[in-house]
Each structure stands twice: as structure tokens, then as C-alpha cells.
Amino acid sequence: MLRATLKSLLARKLRLALSAMAVILGVMFVAGSFVLTDTLGRSFENMFDSAYAHTDVVVQPKPKVDGQIAGGDSPVPGVLTADDKKAIEAIPGVAAVHAIADGEGARVVGSDGKVVTTVGPPRLGGNWLDGVGGAEIRDGHAPQNDNQVVLNVEQAKKAGLKVGDQVTVLTPGGKRTFELAGTFGYAGGLDGRGGVLEVRFTDKVAQELMLGQAGAYTSFDVDAAPGQSPEAVRDAIAARTGGAYEVKTGAELAKTIADQFKSVLDGLNKVLLGFGAVALFVGTFLILNIFSITVAQRTKELALTRALGASRRQMIGSVLAEAIVVGLTGSLLGLAAGLGVGWVLAMVAANVSGLILAPIALPASAVIAAFSVGLVITVLAALLPALRASRVPPIAALQEVATPDRPLTKLSVSGGLVTAAGVALMGYGLTGDGHLWPMLGGVMFAFIGVALLSPLVGKPVVAALGRLFSWSVAGKLGRLNSGRNPRRTAITAAALMIGIALITAASTVLTSGDESLRGAANREVHADLLVTGQNSTDVMPTFARSTMDDIRKIPGVASATSEVYARAMVGKHGHGVSIVDDLPAMAAQFSLKPSGPNAGTLTALGPADAIVDADTAVEEGVRVGDTVRVVLPKGDPVEFRIAAIYAENDFYGGYLLGVAALEHLVSPDPAIATITLADGAAESAVRDQVAKLIADNPEVSVMTKGEYLDQASGQIGTLLTMVTILLALAILIAVLGVIITLWLSVLERTRELGLLRAIGLGRAATMRMITVEAVVITLFGTLLGLATGVGMGAAVVRSLKGEGITDFAVPWSQLTAYLVAGALVGVFAAVLPSIKAARTDVLKAIAYE
């Protein structure tokens, strides 16, 4: 029986290849994800091992306050001093201590007048220490005075700067222009490390601009004395200082940082695997359809096998054996393709980030996932067709060309129950945090349920769609063909439905978010102009605080207020706080109101006053008149008196502090200013005057409320594009499913096509008939996906009402584009099957059995 199965499979090599294609594509995505993250992970390990290869021990300050800032950010840091340096230098076993003062947010303005940006890696600024960490001057010399800097070679190349040029640097401590004294790289010929862009100053300037504190350092690089191991020096420092510092060897710190990067890569891997799972889920429908069609086409063959004595168990085993061969073949080829895709993606990531790529390897996780997933998916998809093959009655089947289609009652009832279970699971998953798996399970059950219901829905929908093309004989035949087997049509359309539904759901949620933002802005924001910039990966763009005084003096400006954002610990809780300089103006511009009768008033804040929203006040037990202890980035505790409690809105929540907080920040410069115009003032004239005041700052601009919202919409559009690209593989598999289904259908109807050609149906008409059939199937799948996606999007929007997404909006223009794309996909999918049908040899087809 096994030999007969294998011979039958090898006799139909095309069917084997088509069946394996879905597995290959899905496994390729999964294996490629593991290869990509493994390669990048090892590359980061190598980079940090290299970075700390010359470091024996690193000493860092402990946070002045324990606990994490809101959102999982790092604790409020402490600093080291010259006295700390002397104390460590006196410890036996320590040969030298190199004091480092550095931080994120040193942005270089290139020769084109634009700020040099990165995609992910930080932009660091610090003091120059020759040889420390393997740093070495490549061109020019080290900074010899406070007006000189050096750039790493990678930064100098991106900025288009050379030694001797004037270089403008934007820092947390303000904007300064320096002479470029030299460029530097690292041991081993490296121009940089992982795409990090670096600026190095003198000690004094680094402390002033990057830390905002004279005499402050962020870490010590300690050299062990000859004969002393890094571990022994580490232990000696820790013992003598009584745990006052965080002390690690260079190797330990390298591993710690690499592990942090790996956690980010693990998150990326989970996202990619999620999209890979979608692709495999879609592939399941394709494999199920292929095996169902081939079982139907082989009715006589299977019946003859049964008549010769094969049992039902052997028939099931025969079909599953075919599935195992297909799964193994697809997994092997998919694994090879995944290795190539992972390598290409890793190369792209390395080129973008400047990372030196580790040698490509095939991790065990990729191999295990490839064969496990590929086999399981294929065998599960073939199980139902295998059971159907075992039920073929020998005598009855020998008298028929194919088994008749069965009633849809049981299928529809099952679909209704599965859909209800999916909706219930999704509803539970949307009720709170930590319900991810129920949510994902609900989505899967909902898709399966809709797929089971689709034959019932498909009958009238396919008939209605087909009438749009029934203006010719070819169109009528195509309509009838698309509706003759509701199960096959539904399964083919369901594969396309999944990808379209997910894209539609994402589009619906993002469009609703954009609509909610615009609606909230129109209701609550009364400012006319905003001065701000787009957030970078490390430090928000800022402008000089003195600019606010100049803005307020412009004729036509009724009020102007600014905000400085910072991380802080308020009491025992981490928060992102805002420092405001004109609370009454802000309250008017953003519709802030006191919360309740004993909440105080939103009048001018004293320097050490603060206000807090009502929900936070309840959670943290704060009332008007209370004093709260706030620790800001410089690490010194400051006490603020709660002057009022306000009602949280869509734009403001948490603590708003008075200007006394500014002296405890590294940078007191605002990140945003909002301007209200006086009655009758010309917006364009005021805008031009503001633009002149910030003309020398390439990171910020002045814009209207509408322009600011359009900028935010652009970011939403970028996110949607990324989701669409990641779902493209699932849609590709679905399109492949349409092509394969039509191709097998053409083979199945060889005799029928021959008869049609014999009675006068031309080649062009035959191609149109197949094209209509394909377009009707893809349009049905697209419509099903649009309806399902909008429903899923509506459920998510409803669950996010407490997060500010209050308005439900249907993205009609995008849905129309998806519908048109669905029709075009049908035309594309019909090309090969229609050519095959048009080339049917009439005489051979009539004699075909």
C-alpha cells in the first residue's frame, strides 16, 4: 500500500509541487525569523564583547531612588564624582580609573543643514578618553580645548564633515558650534559600533552639555593591576565600598547589555512568528483544498483500491502518507529558503544600523520549528480529505466520476458554534491585560467559523457577483462554474479572507484612532499654532527657552505656553511629568478643568506647586495641600505642593509641575509650545515671525493644529504599511491557492472544456470564462474579509474606549482600494489556469476520462 501511495504521488509531480508550495512559504517565514534574530543576537554579542574587550571592571552609580519610571523606563540615575574616583583609585589591585561622562541626545547637524538621524541606535555624546574601550584617533587629533570635538568615522561620513570643519551639535544642554578636531574609530578597523553615532568633547563640556552637572560622571572604566584578575578587582571594589556602586567586569557588562538587546530581538521574533503563523494558517486552507480536490478527482482510483481489498484505515494512511511526504518536502525546502531570507534580512538590518554581521548559521530552533510546524500543518489539513477518501464506497464510486457534494446543514451549524466560541474568546481577550492567548485563540476560532459558514453565505453572494459578468456566454459559464461547488469556492475564498480581514481590522482600528484624535483635538484643543518636532529615538527635539519670551512679544499672540517633559519618581511611583510655565494659558488651550468642588483652581502655579489628575490622585492618595517628593533626572529630591486636582482629558494626565523643577533637569528647554492668536490676528503673519525665531533649529518647526494632526496621521499610515507588508505573505499564499484551485479545476474539467471548445467556445472566450470564475472567487473572499475585518476592528475599538479611541470610523477609501485589489488579484490568478484551459486539445479532451 505504501509503494502504491508513493508511486501515485510521484506520478503527479505537479500536484506534489503545488501542495508543497504553501508549506514552503509558511515555513520559510518562520525559519527566516529564527535565523534573523539568531544572527542579529550573535552580532550584538560580538559587538559588545569587542566594546568591552579592553575593559577590566566598570563601576556605575546606583539609582538614587529605587523603582521604575512609568512605561518600564530606567530608574532615575545617580552620578559619580571626583571623590568617588579617588576612593576607587586607592583600592589595592586598581591600576587606573578612567572617568566617563556620557549620555544620549548629541545630535550633529550635517553639511546639508539637517540633523543626522539613525534608525534605532542612539546618538551619544561624552568625553574623549584616548584608548579607553579601544577608541583610537583616525584623522586629526583629540579635543585640545573646549571649542573642539571629535566624531566617530561613521558619524562624520553621514554628516559629510571633515577635519577642520565647523560642526553644530544639539545637546540636552543646548546648541553649540565646535571645530571638528578629528575623527575616531575602534580597534579592529571599526568606524563605529552598531550604528551608534558619537560626539566626544572635553570633560568639562561633556559634563555641562550631556549631564548638566559640573564634576559629574556616569561610569568609571577601571584597569586591573598586573597579576590581578578582573573578578578579583571587582570583588575588592564591592567589598571596600559596601555596595555603594554597581560593579561588574567588562565581560559581565557586555553580557548584560547584549541580553537587553536580545530581549528586544525576542519581541521582534514573536511578532514575526505571529505573522508567520497567519501565513501557515492560510496555508492550511490551501492544503485542505488541494487534498480535497485531488481526492475527488481520484474517486475511481480510490474505489478500485478499495475493491482490491484496501481497508478504510489503509485509505486514511495512504492520504496521510502523501501529506507527510508533502510536509517533509515543504519543510526541507522552506527551511532552506528561510535560511536565505533570514540572511538577506540580516544583511539589510546590518547595512541600515552599521552592525558587523556574525556568520550566518542555522539555529536548532529554526530546524525544529520548520519540521514540526510544516508536518503538523500539512497532516492536520489532510485529515478531513483522508477521512473522506476512506468513506468512498467501492461499487458506487466505480459507477461515478466524482462523489456528489453534500448538504451544508451540518457544516453551517458547526460554523455558527465555532464562530460564537471565537467571538466569546475575543470578547474575553479584549477585557483586560494578560488575555493575549484567549484573544489570539478567539481570532483563530472566528476565522475557522467564518470559513465554515462561507459555503452557506457564498451561494447567494457568488451568484450575485457572477451576474455582474453575465453579459456574455463566457461570463455566464464563469458564474456557473464558480457556484457549482460551494465548499471548494468557500475554502479558496476563506484563505484570501484571512489576510484581507487582518489588514482591514488594523486599518479600521488605526483609522478610528486617527478620527478619535482629530475629534478630541477639535473639542479640547483651542491653540492655533504649535512649535514642536518629531520625536527621535533617544531625545525629544527641543528649542531654546528664551524663545518663549520672544514669541509672547509678537503682535497678534494672545497667549503662549511651553512644556518640558521629564522622567521622575513622585513618591514611590514612576511618572512622566510635564513642567509648564503658564498654567492658565494651558488650561484654556487644552480645556483643563478642576475635578470636583474641593479640587482647587487652575491659576498660575508657584515655582514649587504642582497639579495632578483626579485618577492619579485617588490611586496615590494625594489631596490638595499635600506635599509630594519628586526626584528628577539630576537625582536631587524636590518637594512640590499639590495646588489643584484636574479632570484628565485626552491630552493631559498625571503630574504637571511648576518651574522649580527646571533646575533639576539636564535640559530646561521646552519640547513643545502652543500659541493662541488674538482676535483678528493674521495667522500667516504670526507664523512667519515664529518661524524666524526658530530658523536656526533644524529639528523643530511651527505648524497649525491641522498640520500637526496630519503629521500624526502619516505615522499611522506608516504603521499600517508595515502591517500590510508583513501580511503580504499570507495574501500571496491565498493568491497561490486561487491559482492552484483553478489549475486543478481545469484538469478536473478537461472533458467538459473539450466539449465546450468543440461546440464553438473560442480560446479567448475560454480564457474569459476562467478569469470570471477567478474574479468572482477573489471578490467573494475580499468581501468576506472586509466584513469580518470591520467587525473585528469594531470590537477592538470598543475595547480601547478607555484608552482614548472613542470614535469608530470605517476606512471607506481603503476598503474600496482593497476591493479593487481583490478583483485585480483574480485577474492575475487566472492567467496560468486560463492559458492552460485555452490550450486544451479538443480531440484528446473529448476522449479524456
Side-chain angles (χ1 to χ4, degrees):
M1 189 67 190
L2 180 60
R3 287 198 300 270
T5 298
L6 294 177
K7 285 185 177 181
S8 174
L9 187 61
L10 293 175
R12 298 174 175 85
K13 296 181 179 64
L14 177 61
R15 189 184 72 204
L16 172 65
L18 295 177
S19 302
M21 190 60 68
V23 183
I24 292 171
L25 292 175
V27 169
M28 177 189 73
F29 201 110
V30 172
S33 300
F34 281 109
V35 171
L36 171 64
T37 52
D38 173 76
T39 303
L40 292 181
R42 288 185 291 107
S43 300
F44 279 115
E45 279 185 352
N46 294 343
M47 183 184 74
F48 292 119
D49 286 343
S50 171
Y52 291 98
H54 301 81
T55 300
D56 292 327
V57 177
V58 176
V59 178
Q60 296 174 317
K62 282 194 171 181
K64 288 200 172 184
V65 176
D66 293 331
Q68 300 289 315
I69 300 300
D73 213 334
S74 58
V76 175
V79 293
L80 299 170
T81 66
D83 291 337
D84 295 320
K85 181 172 181 288
K86 291 179 182 178
I88 294 175
E89 286 174 333
I91 296 174
V94 172
V97 177
H98 308 282
I100 298 171
D102 63 7
E104 295 186 13
R107 293 96 70 199
V108 169
V109 179
S111 58
D112 59 358
K114 298 181 180 178
V115 174
V116 180
T117 59
T118 67
V119 182
R123 294 172 287 185
L124 300 180
N127 58 328
W128 170 255
L129 293 170
D130 190 30
V132 175
E136 54 190 25
I137 293 293
R138 293 282 179 80
D139 190 16
H141 55 79
Q144 296 175 344
N145 58 61
D146 293 345
N147 294 319
Q148 293 181 336
V149 296
V150 291
L151 306 179
N152 66 332
V153 174
E154 187 170 349
Q155 169 116 273
K157 287 179 179 178
K158 286 190 174 184
L161 297 169
K162 61 183 183 299
V163 174
D165 286 348
Q166 295 294 299
V167 52
T168 298
V169 185
L170 305 176
T171 71
K175 174 184 174 183
R176 290 271 295 273
T177 299
F178 301 88
E179 176 192 350
L180 181 56
T183 60
F184 70 94
Y186 290 94
L190 301 179
D191 292 340
R193 283 177 170 161
V196 176
L197 303 181
E198 296 182 71
V199 186
R200 298 289 183 89
F201 315 90
T202 61
D203 287 10
K204 176 184 174 183
V205 175
Q207 291 166 345
E208 174 189 346
L209 296 182
M210 302 309 302
L211 305 181
Q213 301 180 68
Y217 299 98
T218 52
S219 64
F220 295 148
D221 191 322
V222 179
D223 292 340
Q228 295 288 328
S229 69
E231 291 76 15
V233 174
R234 174 201 62 195
D235 295 341
I237 295 173
R240 289 288 294 272
T241 59
Y245 311 111
E246 291 183 348
V247 187
K248 295 181 179 180
T249 64
E252 289 172 339
L253 186 59
K255 184 180 185 304
T256 298
I257 299 175
D259 288 344
Q260 292 173 352
F261 274 83
K262 280 188 173 183
S263 67
V264 175
L265 291 176
D266 286 343
L268 172 64
N269 193 38
K270 289 177 181 177
V271 171
L272 293 177
L273 289 177
F275 285 99
V278 172
L280 286 168
F281 186 49
V282 172
T284 303
F285 286 88
L286 172 56
I287 297 167
L288 172 63
N289 216 17
I290 290 173
F291 274 92
S292 296
I293 294 172
T294 54
V295 165
Q297 290 177 350
R298 295 165 57 202
T299 300
K300 282 191 175 182
E301 175 189 328
L302 296 172
L304 181 60
T305 305
R306 290 292 310 282
L308 291 174
S311 65
R312 291 185 62 179
R313 178 177 296 179
Q314 287 178 312
M315 298 304 297
I316 294 174
S318 174
V319 176
L320 291 183
E322 289 189 23
I324 291 172
V325 172
V326 170
L328 285 173
T329 304
S331 298
L332 183 62
L333 296 177
L335 183 61
L339 180 63
V341 168
W343 176 75
V344 170
L345 292 177
M347 288 290 291
V348 172
N351 289 333
V352 170
S353 64
L355 185 67
I356 295 180
L357 208 60
I360 296 295
L362 191 62
S365 55
V367 177
I368 295 171
F371 285 97
S372 299
V373 171
L375 276 174
V376 169
I377 291 294
T378 309
V379 171
L380 286 178
L383 188 58
L384 287 177
L387 292 173
R388 188 174 183 183
S390 71
R391 293 168 182 164
V392 175
I395 300 302
L398 287 171
Q399 298 172 346
E400 299 173 3
V401 176
T403 55
D405 207 20
R406 293 168 292 165
L408 301 176
T409 306
K410 292 183 178 178
L411 192 67
S412 301
V413 172
S414 300
L417 294 174
V418 174
T419 302
V423 171
L425 280 173
M426 280 196 297
Y428 175 70
L430 292 170
T431 57
D433 296 333
H435 297 165
L436 177 61
W437 289 110
M439 176 67 185
L440 295 178
V443 170
M444 185 181 72
F445 273 98
F447 280 140
I448 294 174
V450 171
L452 293 174
L453 288 172
S454 56
L456 181 65
V457 178
K459 277 189 172 182
V461 174
V462 167
L465 290 173
R467 293 187 183 280
L468 298 175
F469 307 97
S470 296
W471 42 269
S472 66
V473 172
K476 291 178 181 178
L477 290 173
R479 174 177 66 85
L480 293 173
N481 286 336
S482 60
R484 69 198 294 179
N485 193 324
R487 293 172 185 266
R488 182 182 302 177
T489 298
I491 293 174
T492 306
L496 182 60
M497 175 267 294
I498 295 170
I500 296 294
L502 291 173
I503 293 175
T504 301
S507 180
T508 300
V509 173
L510 293 174
T511 301
S512 297
D514 181 57
E515 191 70 20
S516 299
L517 176 63
R518 291 179 183 275
N522 291 330
R523 291 189 304 270
E524 299 174 4
V525 180
H526 306 293
D528 298 299
L529 296 173
L530 297 93
V531 179
T532 187
Q534 285 193 335
N535 290 359
S536 67
T537 56
D538 40 29
V539 174
M540 296 182 67
T542 59
F543 54 93
R545 170 156 292 280
S546 59
T547 304
M548 290 305 302
D549 294 331
D550 296 328
I551 289 175
R552 292 186 177 104
K553 295 175 183 177
I554 295 175
V557 172
S559 66
T561 185
S562 68
E563 288 181 72
V564 180
Y565 302 122
R567 300 176 303 175
M569 293 295 298
V570 183
K572 297 181 179 179
H573 304 277
H575 287 280
V577 299
S578 296
I579 297 93
V580 299
D581 58 359
D582 189 343
L583 180 60
M586 175 183 286
Q589 290 172 346
F590 291 93
S591 304
L592 295 184
K593 299 177 181 178
S595 177
N598 299 316
T601 58
L602 302 181
T603 55
L605 286 179
D609 285 343
I611 65 172
V612 63
D613 73 275
D615 290 341
T616 303
V618 171
E619 289 174 5
E620 300 184 6
V622 176
R623 295 179 295 179
V624 173
D626 287 352
T627 298
V628 292
R629 185 173 182 267
V630 180
V631 180
L632 290 153
K634 283 189 178 180
D636 297 323
V638 190
E639 290 191 344
F640 285 84
R641 184 186 69 88
I642 302 299
I645 295 175
Y646 67 96
E648 181 180 7
N649 64 17
D650 292 294
F651 296 93
Y652 281 97
Y655 287 90
L656 307 182
L657 308 179
V659 294
L662 294 176
E663 62 183 280
H664 301 278
L665 305 180
V666 174
S667 171
D669 291 337
I672 186 171
T674 49
I675 302 168
T676 302
L677 302 180
D679 293 339
E683 179 185 283
S684 58
V686 175
R687 179 173 181 166
D688 291 343
Q689 290 295 315
V690 175
K692 290 179 181 178
L693 294 175
I694 59 174
D696 64 341
N697 190 324
E699 285 194 307
V700 298
S701 59
V702 57
M703 61 189 76
T704 63
K705 179 173 66 176
E707 290 169 340
Y708 181 79
L709 293 173
D710 289 340
Q711 188 181 84
S713 294
Q715 296 172 350
I716 290 174
T718 301
L719 180 59
L720 180 60
T721 300
M722 292 174 59
V723 172
T724 303
I725 291 172
L726 289 171
L727 286 172
L729 180 62
I731 295 177
L732 175 62
I733 293 176
V735 174
L736 181 66
V738 177
I739 296 172
I740 293 173
T741 300
L742 289 174
W743 186 279
L744 294 176
S745 179
V746 166
L747 293 177
E748 184 180 47
R749 289 150 43 195
T750 300
R751 181 179 176 84
E752 175 187 316
L753 290 170
L755 290 173
L756 288 173
R757 292 293 311 284
I759 61 176
L761 189 68
R763 287 190 172 185
T766 302
M767 294 180 70
R768 288 198 300 272
M769 176 184 70
I770 300 298
T771 302
V772 167
E773 186 175 348
V775 170
V776 168
I777 292 173
T778 55
L779 280 178
F780 172 49
T782 303
L783 287 172
L784 200 61
L786 294 179
T788 305
V790 170
M792 290 175 59
V796 174
V797 169
R798 182 180 179 86
S799 72
L800 294 176
K801 189 173 183 179
E803 303 297 325
I805 301 183
T806 56
D807 300 333
F808 174 69
V810 178
W812 293 110
S813 60
Q814 292 166 350
L815 299 192
T816 302
Y818 299 155
L819 189 61
V820 172
L824 294 176
V825 162
V827 174
F828 171 77
V831 172
L832 292 178
S834 63
I835 293 175
K836 169 72 174 175
R839 290 179 177 176
T840 301
D841 186 294
V842 177
L843 294 178
K844 290 182 179 180
I846 293 175
Y848 181 84
E849 293 186 12

